[in-house]
């Protein structure tokens, strides 16, 4: 893994990390328009045996009320380690946990996030997750 403190691409790492901060903040706020601003479209998600091509408008507000998110209150990053970094793309080894309103853990999920710089904007380009 890249030592973040000595990376020649520290500015890229900082930009990509800020994108992941905004991603989680908007997701926890259930603010779909703000959340979509943290993507670079098209974006892909590989999870639960399905590859989804995500375009603007793919996510709907009711997604927070059904399926894997039906008991969900908020999520938090447990790990965000840089695997590789370049001037316009950073790969992260991540783990996030989902929580109920009472603070009990629904589950923790290992994932790979690819965050890219496109037209001056850092956004999530790809995710591969073990989350449902």
């Amino acid at each position: 893994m890249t030592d973040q403190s000595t990376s020649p691409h520290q500015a890229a790492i900082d930009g990509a990390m800020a994108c992941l901060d905004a991603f989680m903040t908007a997701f926890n706020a259930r603010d779909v328009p703000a959340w979509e601003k943290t993507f670079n479209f098209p974006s892909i998600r590989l999870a639960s045996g399905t590859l989804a091509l995500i375009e603007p408008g793919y996510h709907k507000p009711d997604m927070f009320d059904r399926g894997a998110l039906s008991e969900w209150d908020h999520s938090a990053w447990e790990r965000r380690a840089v695997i590789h970094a370049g001037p316009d793309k950073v790969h992260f080894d991540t783990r996030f946990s989902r929580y109920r309103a009472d603070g009990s853990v629904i589950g923790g999920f290992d994932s790979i996030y690819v965050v890219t710089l496109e037209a001056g904007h850092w956004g999530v380009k790809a995710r591969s997750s073990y989350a449902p």
Side-chain angles (χ1 to χ4, degrees):
M1 289 190 209
T2 302
D3 178 354
Q4 292 183 27
S5 64
T6 60
S7 174
H9 302 292
Q10 190 60 50
I13 292 168
D14 292 346
M17 193 70 76
C19 171
L20 292 182
D21 288 341
F23 177 96
M24 189 64 75
T25 297
F27 189 73
N28 284 336
R30 295 170 171 76
D31 185 341
V32 174
W35 193 46
E36 285 196 341
K37 289 178 183 175
T38 68
F39 288 84
N40 275 332
F41 296 111
S43 183
I44 59 170
R45 180 177 186 252
L46 178 59
S48 302
T50 302
L51 178 69
L53 180 64
I54 300 168
E55 295 283 1
Y58 176 90
H59 299 105
K60 306 294 183 204
D62 70 346
M63 68 184 258
F64 298 106
D65 302 322
R66 56 185 163 79
L69 297 177
S70 62
E71 292 183 81
W72 173 83
D73 179 72
H74 67 281
S75 296
W77 296 114
E78 304 298 333
R79 177 183 69 242
R80 293 183 294 172
V82 174
I83 302 170
H84 308 104
D88 59 1
K89 181 170 60 172
V90 181
H91 298 172
F92 290 95
D93 169 21
T94 72
R95 182 173 179 82
F96 65 89
S97 292
R98 290 181 178 159
Y99 297 88
R100 294 177 187 88
D102 66 6
S104 62
V105 176
I106 296 169
F109 307 97
D110 293 318
S111 305
I112 301 293
Y113 277 63
V114 177
V115 183
T116 60
L117 178 63
E118 298 178 14
H121 175 262
W122 283 102
V124 175
K125 190 67 172 183
R127 300 175 283 164
S128 177
S129 174
Y130 289 98

